[in-house]
Amino acid sequence: MKITSYQQNLLSDSERLTAFHQVISEKSKGIIYDLGTGSGVLSSWAAPLSRFVYAVEKDPLTAQIAQKNLSQFKNVSLMVNDAKSIFFPEKADIIICEMMDTALIDEDQVPVINSVREYLKKDGDIIPCGVFNGVEAVNTNINHPCYQEEETPHTELMSKLIIYDKIDFKKYIEPEIDYDIIIPVKNEGTVSAIKITTFTLLTPDFICGPTPMMNPPLLIPTNHLKVKGGENIILKLKYIMGGGLDTIRASFEAFS
């Protein structure tokens, strides 16, 4: 299979691949859209199990790689375009639209699925079908948002995980997030950042946690606030899904 270095990293993420392969093998049927097909690996799994696959890739160089990898399948049409601009000739039984960025903050696919969802049949499915996001107060030494890899940067957990948002991809995704979240503190010390963890619902019954290339934990610096175990603090959290990391605003306040 022809791939780029970025795609090599994606294909090296065995946990992500195993999860998607299982769900695509179980759910594939009829007409399938693969939005952002990349190397074409997900389309190659869906094609033998479906009537027709529309594999969409807007990057021309990446599309050339996908074309070579998918050339053996007579029931796959590679569409080199932005999915938001395509008029699909028939509605989809399944839409594959992989969302890989934590909390969807830096995720280009948010406006894509909002646009293409109208082509999904009433009884159709989206893979993945949603995400839910959790946040923890932490103490760490960072100056800008960054993804945590193998516990680096090191963090001291100051609270339990609070689930603050659940997103159903079959419904319109409102991009702007603006929450005041009550965080119960478990340790005495200082909170200086938050850790966001995203869990992906490949199906309503199949949850995939963070993997190296799909929704790795995101650390975001905040103001420093002295806290005591057992008290509550308020996290004021804003960002735009699909808007990028520069849209994040996060700060702590004492709970009054």
Side-chain angles (χ1 to χ4, degrees), residues 24 28 42-51 53 72-73 75-76:
I24 289 172
S28 290
L42 303 187
S43 286
S44 73
W45 294 339
L49 304 170
S50 60
R51 182 163 66 83
V53 177
Q72 63 181 298
F73 299 105
N75 64 332
V76 175

Side-chain angles (χ1 to χ4, degrees), residues 85-96:
S85 303
I86 294 175
F87 177 80
F88 290 91
E90 51 191 334
K91 289 201 169 186
D93 295 284
I94 302 290
I95 294 177
I96 301 170

